[in-house]
Amino acid sequence: MRQTLTALSASLEKHFADTIIASKIALDELTIDIKSGDLLAVCTALRDDFGFNQLTDICGVDYAHYGKDEWQTDSATGTGFSRGFNAQTHGRGQAVKNVEPNVAHATRYAVTYHLLSIKDNQRLRIKAWCEEEELPIIASVVDIWPAANWFEREAFDLFGIVFEGHPDLRRILTDYGFIGHPFRKDFPLSGNVEMRYDAEKGRVVYEPVSIEPRVLVPRVIRKEASNA
């Protein structure tokens, strides 16, 4: 498996010498990073020249505060979960800007594409980086792989990533009156609005959320105890 992925990686780097930002093999999976502006050209070539004729998934990714964490979970300590709690952050990383990041990314949003070559029995992941943070936009690949239609709508709904050229880009999981994008890192756990049925008005109404914010303590499974 490793030898096959290495050969595929070398072939892709040669073919897309001026396009691929990074290439990495990890956990028997190959990932290539590209800019959003090169997406359509790369995807077309992967389908036509490399046999990746099937798209299995598309996922949005929000790298806000990536590598920053107020919870120290890499090793076990004698102080328990309280070692990471900061009363000003509510356990949600509100003040993580004061924490040094482990990894830095040039842009906040990325879209990952999972491809399958049935002929060669090979899988590939593409990570395309959106250039804008305020309004992340990337080209739709529906014309290349029609299966992208619902996947792109899901990423638009949950992350607010706009897929330019999509034939019907609208929400697919949340309600039509939903405010915000729930998979963004800055989206509050309690949401922005709540809905209920109003008997007097005879319809569903939306109101500001009334749930009090609460501190969530993450459950941590440490390597030291994984075999216990």
Side-chain angles (χ1 to χ4, degrees), residues 71-80 83 220-225:
W71 299 92
Q72 301 302 320
T73 59
D74 291 338
S75 61
T77 70
T79 55
R83 68 191 179 281
V220 180
I221 300 177
R222 304 186 184 90
K223 297 178 182 178
E224 290 84 347

Side-chain angles (χ1 to χ4, degrees), residues 47-225:
R47 182 196 62 184
D48 297 341
D49 302 333
F50 289 88
F52 287 98
N53 54 357
Q54 184 169 333
L55 173 74
T56 61
D57 196 12
I58 294 178
C59 307
V61 187
D62 181 359
Y63 283 94
H65 307 311
Y66 184 81
K68 302 179 182 180
D69 197 359
E70 71 210 69
W71 299 92
Q72 301 302 320
T73 59
D74 291 338
S75 61
T77 70
T79 55
F81 289 118
S82 62
R83 68 191 179 281
F85 179 69
N86 182 335
Q88 296 180 348
T89 67
H90 303 293
R92 284 285 295 152
Q94 307 293 343
V96 290
K97 62 183 180 180
N98 298 322
V99 182
E100 288 297 324
N102 296 322
V103 180
H105 292 283
T107 58
R108 175 175 173 178
Y109 297 100
V111 181
T112 61
Y113 302 80
H114 300 260
L115 309 181
L116 170 64
S117 171
I118 299 177
K119 176 184 177 181
D120 298 323
N121 191 27
Q122 290 182 325
R123 295 182 182 272
L124 173 66
R125 179 186 298 110
I126 307 172
K127 185 183 295 183
W129 295 91
C130 302
E131 296 181 0
E132 297 294 333
E133 179 174 328
E134 295 298 325
L135 182 61
I137 300 177
I138 197 168
S140 172
V141 295
V142 169
D143 291 338
I144 301 175
W145 297 292
N149 193 314
W150 280 32
F151 294 138
E152 290 180 350
R153 284 182 59 187
E154 182 181 50
F156 164 72
D157 190 358
L158 301 179
F159 291 93
I161 299 173
V162 176
F163 292 86
E164 194 171 27
H166 190 284
D168 186 23
L169 193 62
R170 54 193 170 91
R171 292 186 182 273
I172 192 172
L173 295 176
T174 60
D175 187 71
Y176 293 114
F178 194 88
I179 297 176
H181 304 282
F183 275 16
R184 288 190 173 187
K185 296 294 180 65
D186 52 7
F187 188 83
L189 286 179
S190 57
N192 292 308
V193 297
E194 62 186 25
M195 53 183 284
R196 66 176 179 84
Y197 179 77
D198 190 306
E200 294 182 359
K201 296 180 179 179
R203 61 180 176 84
V204 172
V205 296
Y206 292 87
E207 299 173 338
V209 65
S210 60
I211 302 174
E212 292 293 330
R214 59 194 177 108
V215 175
L216 295 182
V217 178
R219 178 184 179 188
V220 180
I221 300 177
R222 304 186 184 90
K223 297 178 182 178
E224 290 84 347

